[in-house]
Amino acid sequence: MARRTSRTSSPAAPSDLCPCGLPGNYADCCGRFHSGAVAAPSAEALMRSRYSAFVVGDVDHLMRTWHPRTRPERLDLDPGMRWTGLEILETGGGSAFHSTGTVTFRASYRGGSLHERSRFERVDGAWVYVDGEFLED
């Protein structure tokens, strides 16, 4: 989710279902990554947390988890964008045993969807988003 951005009018409450699509509440799922309490253990977990950050408007998490060599100086989220779902289509690497990984996903929003293959690397032991390639549906 490199170029398109989103934001909701208010952040998710800790007891709300997590926007990433996994069962469980926001606080116990992506909320713990957003707070910085723990780092995402895999490229897929980071992808899910970044999607959720777009949903709740957490620019700090997005910037913190973007590779320093590709991170923009600033990120402005579109307050009118409404993300409606995330589907993980394929993963490659990205586990505790890898230094790189890819996650191919489809993120739906009101009026369409974004299909991307994102690349991730470890920096100082933490997974970060490098860049993404938009794919045709």
Side-chain angles (χ1 to χ4, degrees):
M1 298 181 47
R3 295 182 195 134
R4 298 187 187 192
T5 60
S6 78
R7 177 196 216 160
T8 60
S9 56
S10 61
S15 61
D16 288 347
L17 287 178
C18 193
C20 81
L22 292 177
N25 65 48
Y26 169 75
D28 293 334
C29 193
C30 292
R32 62 197 171 119
F33 304 135
H34 293 179
S35 72
V38 295
S42 67
E44 180 181 342
L46 182 62
M47 174 63 239
R48 288 179 179 280
S49 78
R50 286 180 56 85
Y51 169 81
S52 292
F54 276 99
V55 172
V56 302
D58 189 341
V59 172
D60 291 340
H61 178 71
L62 293 167
M63 296 298 279
R64 184 173 63 249
T65 60
W66 209 314
H67 197 292
R69 112 176 145 250
T70 59
R71 179 177 45 223
E73 287 188 32
R74 60 184 279 228
L75 180 61
D76 296 318
L77 300 180
D78 177 357
M81 189 72 144
R82 297 293 181 257
W83 295 102
T84 59
L86 176 67
E87 179 183 6
I88 302 297
L89 303 172
E90 182 178 26
T91 62
S95 76
F97 303 105
H98 300 101
S99 59
T100 63
T102 60
V103 178
T104 304
F105 66 92
R106 183 174 292 107
S108 299
Y109 56 89
R110 191 177 303 151
S113 66
L114 168 70
H115 188 185
E116 181 179 310
R117 179 177 301 113
S118 293
R119 291 186 322 125
F120 298 87
E121 291 179 11
R122 283 189 189 264
V123 172
D124 296 329
W127 285 107
V128 293
Y129 169 80
V130 177
D131 58 21
E133 170 190 3
F134 293 109
L135 304 171
E136 297 294 322
D137 278 325

